[in-house]
Amino acid sequence: MTTATASTFGSLLRDWRQRRRLTQLDLGLAADVSARHLSFLETGRSKPSRDMVLHLSEELDVPLRGRNELMIAAGYAPAYTHHDIDDVEMVQVRASLQRILDGHAPYPAVLVDGSWNLLAGNAAVGLLTDLIDPALLEPPVNIIRLALHPRGLAPHVVDPEDYAAHLVSRVRRQAERSATTGLRVLLAEAVGYCRDQGLDPAAQPRDRIVLPLRVRHPDGDLAFYSTVSVLGAPLDVTLDEVAIESFFPADDATAAYLRSRFA
């Protein structure tokens, strides 16, 4: 196991502070720590206590994965567990999440990890995946890739530029706030798909309260709104990052069709 130096901790701390667009003085006032001491921590002249690492992580709203990285860099054991979603310790939580997905039927819902990889879904998700090249459904399946790939959902979306720009913006914001480095790679991939299809990844939808997903389906156009839900008070890195995206019908025709197919 590699032993991290204090300067490694300092560079990580500086990165998170700058991500939050805070000066040393801003963070010091919020955390009740002198700006001088923060400067010493960032340059490696001072070593933080375990409690100081956790305290600054809380003030900076660092995700659990990033908090563990800060702890290790400072020379301490990780503060939070990190299980795979399929580990035996996760059986009950995974079963509860699946009940949420199944309970959302007849409307589609998916469970994704912090990089938007598909972990589970309900039966209604097949309504959308049936439109996608089966090669893209080989594990690992990524929701952003499915949505924007030219052989994915993109050719079936009624407002492709607006929806693509919305997804790119979502991944960009998440990459800025997350400790999951794979999001930056996914962001570049998503932007590439947009440009390959002549879509502007920076387009801004106008005159809308909520941007719906409108899909051309063989049985007729379908329209959805979606919500993203996360677990409350997670104490495991994996559970801190998973989310459920639930789709709701945006019009009566879509609602009636889904009830007829999956109720």
Side-chain angles (χ1 to χ4, degrees), residues 146-164:
L146 292 186
L148 297 178
H149 195 284
R151 300 196 312 276
L153 199 61
H156 307 280
V157 175
V158 174
D159 303 311
E161 186 164 81
D162 285 354
Y163 199 70

Side-chain angles (χ1 to χ4, degrees), residues 8-219:
T8 303
F9 168 81
S11 64
L12 288 173
L13 177 62
R14 183 185 305 111
D15 178 63
W16 281 109
R17 176 177 60 76
Q18 292 175 344
R19 286 202 207 188
R20 301 302 185 249
R21 294 173 173 79
L22 296 173
T23 65
Q24 289 177 344
L25 180 58
D26 293 331
L27 178 57
L29 290 172
D32 195 23
V33 177
S34 73
R36 184 170 183 267
H37 185 50
L38 287 173
S39 176
F40 281 12
L41 290 175
E42 290 187 1
T43 58
R45 293 180 64 184
S46 293
K47 175 180 170 62
S49 67
R50 184 180 187 278
D51 287 344
M52 178 61 74
V53 177
L54 293 174
H55 177 54
L56 293 176
S57 297
E58 182 68 24
E59 289 297 333
L60 290 168
D61 191 26
V62 178
L64 301 193
R65 180 187 295 273
R67 297 186 191 199
N68 276 354
E69 291 172 352
L70 284 165
M71 292 291 289
I72 293 170
Y76 302 108
Y80 302 94
T81 61
H82 187 178
H83 294 96
D84 187 84
I85 195 67
D86 293 320
D87 286 352
V88 65
E89 293 88 350
M90 294 287 200
V91 168
Q92 290 302 320
V93 175
R94 179 66 182 263
S96 296
L97 292 171
Q98 188 63 53
R99 281 194 289 271
I100 295 173
L101 298 176
D102 294 339
H104 191 63
Y107 311 139
V110 293
L111 175 69
V112 296
D113 67 13
S115 297
W116 289 95
N117 294 310
L118 180 65
L119 300 176
N122 64 11
V125 173
L127 188 75
L128 301 175
T129 56
D130 284 349
L131 303 174
I132 292 169
D133 185 335
L136 296 176
L137 300 175
E138 294 293 327
V141 178
N142 187 276
I143 294 296
I144 300 299
R145 184 177 300 116
L146 292 186
L148 297 178
H149 195 284
R151 300 196 312 276
L153 199 61
H156 307 280
V157 175
V158 174
D159 303 311
E161 186 164 81
D162 285 354
Y163 199 70
H166 156 69
L167 291 180
V168 168
S169 177
R170 175 191 283 184
V171 176
R172 181 178 289 112
R173 291 195 306 271
Q174 188 177 353
E176 177 67 22
R177 297 195 62 83
S178 173
T180 307
T181 55
L183 285 172
R184 296 184 180 92
V185 176
L186 182 62
L187 175 61
E189 182 180 347
V191 169
Y193 291 143
C194 291
R195 290 175 176 162
D196 289 346
Q197 297 171 79
L199 305 174
D200 180 4
Q204 295 297 316
R206 299 181 181 180
D207 302 323
R208 300 191 186 190
I209 298 174
V210 179
L211 179 67
L213 168 62
R214 300 187 184 278
V215 178
R216 298 183 187 91
H217 190 271
D219 294 334

